[in-house]
Every structure is written in structure tokens, then in C-alpha cells.
Amino acid sequence: MSASLNGRTALVTGASAGIGEAFARLLAARGANLLLVARREDRLRHLGNELEQAFGIRAEICAVDLSRSDAVATIVAATERMRLDIDILVNNAGFAASKSFLGSDWSELHAEMQVMMGTVTGLMHSLAPAMKARGYGRIINLASLAAFAPTAPSMLYTGIKSFVLNVSEAVDMELKPHGVYVTALCPGFTWSEFHDVQGTRELTNRLPAFMWHDAETVARAGFDAVMAGQPVCVPGAVNKTLAYTSRLFPERIRYMMGRAGKMVE
Ligand SMILES: NC(=O)c1ccc[n+]([C@@H]2O[C@H](COP(=O)([O-])OP(=O)(O)OC[C@H]3O[C@@H](n4cnc5c(N)ncnc54)[C@H](OP(=O)(O)O)[C@@H]3O)[C@@H](O)[C@H]2O)c1
């Protein structure tokens, strides 16, 4: 097993399911203490207890809705109250809306942006100064293969994940000389609750098996990438090929490719 994290502390958002839970397990197995964040407190508590017993680490939880404008302040206050110095930040929580742009209330669109852009940026901005001062930090931000793909009709999601990719690279450039590495992790289709939440399970189940990864494979790829100082990680050969070839098309062709996609009602 690579890279012992004994004595390090990791904060994982969206740790109650899917890729976030896989990150929590991976980090605990390497000896890191954990602060687990999501809304479903029962799941966080159950996972934290299990990982404490299995690996002898300390696992704390902070149940918070990351769409709230005070979410970052709540989490930072929890780290101070619990006396946790965060060395590793996994900005993982996220979801994709299932309605069209005008079919959504502003509050729904705002929540999507807040969870995946506002809170992601706010946690980096709040926690990175101490990482920089200590000369050590690892930040993984969950973007998506969608960040490379043509814009999809009616969805904020591709724009949001493009933001995460772009900002991750920018912050990595600023902080890498100080020992703080930032990686945008860009998975393709991954087995988790994501497509159930979005309501697209029936559709995505028709995709061939080679298009899918499990959450553990995605988390391991992201972890290895951030430890190696790679600013962008696209897990899997098929996804890498899709990501890099899609960028070769001129914008007009990408627009036409995107428009041919399914319109979200
Ligand atoms: N699965 C894929 O195919 C795929 C592909 C590319 C990128 N991604 C990205 O990977 C990340 C993780 O997704 P996943 O596949 O693991 O999905 P998932 O199984 O649905 O897990 C999503 C996690 O985010 C948390 N979350 C969602 N909204 C939240 C909110 N308002 N406040 C606090 N926590 C919230 C959920 O916790 P609670 O419900 O308990 O709050 C849950 O722990 C997301 O950023 C997603 O965009 C996923």
C-alpha cells in the first residue's frame, strides 16, 4: 500500500456515499484521521465508527447541507472546536440536477452552484493558508469527464465541472511551490448513488460495462494523482481518450455535438 498518512487529517465532503465513502475508506486504511461531511448524519456516524475500529484512527463527523451559504463557516468552526489541522481536503460532494434550466427554481440552480462551486472554493480558501504555512497539503476536487465534454443542453453541470477543473489547476499553480498539491479528479461513469439521485439510472444502465468504474478505482486514481502532484486525473484509458480527443474539435462542432444530446425536460 502506497504513502502512509499516519498523523495526517483528511476532510472528505460527500462521505456518506459513493466516491466520497471510497475516499474515506482509502484514507483511513493509510492511517489518516478523518472529518466526514455530508447531510446524512446516521451514515457518517456509522462509517466513522467502522473506520475507527478497523484502523485505529480518529473519525469525526460534521452533518451539514453544503448548499447553505454558511456551510464553509460551519465546517471551519467544527475543525477549530475539534482541534483538527486539515492536511488533506477532498471536495467531493455533488449531484446533477434532473430538470431543465427554466424548469428549475432559482433555489435549485443556486444549490447546485453552491455545493459544487461555492463550497469547494470556500473550503480551499479557508483551509489552504494553514496547509501553506505547514508546507504540506493535498487537495482533490471532484470535477468530471463532463468538464471536457461538449456542453450538454439545459445543464449547469458541464459548466460547473469546467469551473472546478479550471480553478483547481489555477490554485495548484499558485500553491505547488509551497508543498500544497491540487488535483482535479475527472471520472467518467462511476457506480454510486449519483444516477439514482439524478433519476437517470434506467438510461445509464444501458451503457456498456467498459464505460463504468467502481468508486474505489476512482478514489485510488485521484489519491495517487494528488500524491504525485498531477493537476488533472482522468481515470481509465477510455475516459482519457474521450477527454483529450473531445478537445481537438473546433467549438462549432462541439456545439453541434452537444446539441445532439438529450434535452433535459
Ligand atoms: N458517479 C458518476 O458517474 C460521477 C462522474 C463524474 C463525476 N462525479 C462527481 O463525483 C462526486 C461524487 O459523486 P458520487 O458519484 O459519489 O455521487 P453519490 O453517490 O450520489 O454521492 C454524493 C455525495 O454528495 C453528498 N451531497 C450531495 N448534496 C449535498 C449537500 N447539499 N450537502 C452535503 N452533501 C451533499 C451526498 O451526501 P448526503 O446526501 O448525505 O448529503 C453524498 O455523500 C460528485 O461531485 C459528482 O459530480 C460523479
Side-chain angles (χ1 to χ4, degrees), residues 71-90:
V72 171
T74 301
I75 295 169
V76 170
T79 64
E80 288 165 359
R81 198 172 56 250
M82 296 169 186
R83 297 183 187 282
L84 298 173
D85 291 329
I86 304 300
D87 305 296
I88 302 163
L89 168 63
V90 184

Side-chain angles (χ1 to χ4, degrees), residues 39 64-71 95 110-112 114-115 119:
R39 288 167 300 186
V64 58
D65 183 342
L66 298 175
S67 69
R68 291 179 56 107
S69 56
D70 59 358
F95 63 98
H110 188 262
E112 213 181 338
Q114 192 61 28
V115 171
T119 301

